[in-house]
Amino acid sequence: MTTGRGPVTGVAPGIALRLNANRPEPARTDDGNEWSYGRCWLWCGQVHTPVLWLGTAQTAGGVAAPFTVCGPCVQALHDAIWDHAMTMDRRAVARAAAAGGGGPQPWGAPAPAP
């Protein structure tokens, strides 16, 4: 798998081909979403930068704050989530094969005929 921008690797070639064709692009500052200026709550910690609201973050004590992320951190988060999904998919397919077939199909695979 890759963790940067680029094609999915590290999975079976047929699966990777479908995943790369179906993988959506992450949000970008010029994409029509409601970007504002504020603090990036992820890795870079920039204070006054274009950010996208992804939801509300809450601590164990119930303190909440708007969870906003800058463009480069949105990209890194997007890649990390997709890498996780690819790893989980590959494991599910391997378990199904070890159990004699059937079971989960790779993400993006056509549905089996009825």
Side-chain angles (χ1 to χ4, degrees):
M1 307 259 164
T2 59
T3 55
R5 199 167 156 83
V8 174
T9 60
V11 297
I15 295 171
L17 181 61
R18 284 191 296 267
L19 294 173
N20 287 322
N22 294 320
R23 186 175 180 165
E25 288 292 318
R28 301 198 189 291
T29 54
D30 61 352
D31 64 4
N33 284 308
E34 291 188 38
W35 291 78
S36 60
Y37 280 87
R39 178 178 179 207
C40 177
W41 286 80
L42 281 180
W43 302 283
C44 73
Q46 293 185 66
V47 178
H48 189 70
T49 189
V51 291
L52 181 64
W53 179 75
L54 296 183
T56 301
Q58 186 170 338
T59 66
V63 177
F67 184 60
T68 55
V69 181
C70 72
C73 287
V74 165
Q75 176 73 52
L77 181 61
H78 177 83
D79 290 342
I81 291 168
W82 272 90
D83 285 347
H84 170 76
M86 299 308 102
T87 299
M88 298 310 294
D89 182 65
R90 186 176 64 217
R91 288 179 184 160
V93 170
R95 280 193 305 271
Q105 295 295 311
W107 185 90

